[in-house]
Amino acid sequence: VGFTLDERIGEFVLTHPNMAIPSRGKIYSFNEANRWDWDAPLQKYVTDIQQGLGDTKSRYSSRYIGSMVADVHRTLQYGGIFGYPADNKNPDGKLRLLYEAAPMAFLVEQAGGLALTGKHRIMEIPPVSVHQRVPCILGSRGDVLEMRRYYVESQDPELMLRCQIRLQGAQALDDSSEEFFRLESIFLGEFNGDSLPHNDESIGEFGGANP
């Protein structure tokens, strides 16, 4: 649900009884001043959607306020993708997992979107410290899954190792375990072959249930 402040009465009133993010959008929201310090897969993804070379063949527009709450609010309403990603200066991003990235990831996913570090779900990362930082890329499910494919296709060993270590969380989660990949494939769907195959015919292409 969504509420909007009615300044006439000084109260928040219900304006969106069923807040649902569109499955696709045409807006990307990143601080492009840091573009050449991002992970290479993210650089390529943003370049492609700017030029209309992405899956939708549409040229995306840039909208970036610089306030996560405002940018995510717009993304919830109109769709698209928002990111505060890792870069060379901040390889684990700058947003705190426990009180910035995870709460926002929860809200976006409840609205039908998806929130990743680049390759893995933010909600799957085990916290190991109060101020732990993580990259955060979230938005419309179709857009975020498309972005994820660029990370899946990357063969950069340093990037792959960083993604695995981030998930281990002081050995709280074994990224190489079959059970983890089984659960991740159910939620994300088998996308670009980056999960162990399963035989559950009730699971759809992107993790949704088949009728």
Side-chain angles (χ1 to χ4, degrees):
V1 297
F3 295 83
T4 303
L5 176 63
D6 187 334
E7 296 182 355
R8 297 171 300 174
I9 61 175
E11 298 284 349
F12 284 90
V13 297
L14 179 64
T15 53
H16 299 79
N18 183 26
M19 180 75 80
I21 188 171
S23 61
R24 281 281 190 177
K26 294 183 179 180
I27 298 172
Y28 71 93
S29 184
F30 295 86
N31 181 1
E32 292 189 78
N34 299 322
R35 181 189 189 116
W36 306 118
D37 290 324
W38 296 341
D39 296 335
L42 183 60
Q43 291 183 28
K44 186 174 187 334
Y45 166 72
V46 170
T47 299
D48 282 354
I49 61 175
Q50 285 177 325
Q51 298 178 343
L53 301 176
D55 290 351
T56 67
K57 305 306 179 187
S58 297
R59 296 181 64 178
Y60 281 44
S61 299
S62 174
R63 298 287 186 275
Y64 185 72
I65 298 170
S67 166
M68 186 184 189
V69 171
D71 280 315
V72 173
H73 181 263
R74 181 199 57 248
T75 304
L76 278 170
Q77 290 189 300
Y78 301 110
I81 187 167
F82 163 84
Y84 208 138
D87 58 38
N88 291 336
K89 295 178 291 184
N90 303 283
D92 285 317
K94 294 193 71 174
L95 296 180
R96 270 70 172 196
L97 172 65
L98 285 177
Y99 50 90
E100 292 174 329
M104 203 66 81
F106 176 80
L107 291 175
V108 168
E109 291 190 351
Q110 290 300 302
L114 194 58
L116 308 179
T117 61
K119 187 175 181 181
H120 298 296
R121 286 183 68 217
I122 290 172
M123 298 300 291
E124 296 285 354
I125 298 176
V128 295
S129 67
V130 173
H131 303 298
Q132 177 180 349
R133 298 175 190 265
V134 292
C136 181
I137 303 174
L138 53 80
S140 295
R141 188 175 182 83
D143 290 317
V144 176
L145 282 173
E146 179 183 353
M147 178 279 306
R148 181 177 183 264
R149 187 175 69 236
Y150 288 73
Y151 275 85
V152 171
E153 293 173 346
S154 173
Q155 298 300 311
D156 181 347
E158 181 180 346
L159 177 59
M160 295 167 67
L161 179 61
R162 193 169 359 117
C163 291
Q164 291 175 353
I165 290 174
R166 192 176 290 127
L167 279 169
Q168 288 174 354
Q171 305 304 315
L173 180 63
D174 181 2
D175 184 40
S176 64
S177 71
E178 182 173 338
E179 176 66 8
F180 169 75
F181 280 116
R182 186 186 72 81
L183 293 174
E184 186 180 60
S185 69
I186 290 173
F187 191 88
L188 294 175
E190 293 186 14
F191 195 65
N192 202 46
D194 186 51
S195 56
L196 295 180
H198 58 72
N199 298 318
D200 187 349
E201 295 182 355
S202 67
I203 304 298
E205 181 182 6
F206 292 122
N210 283 327

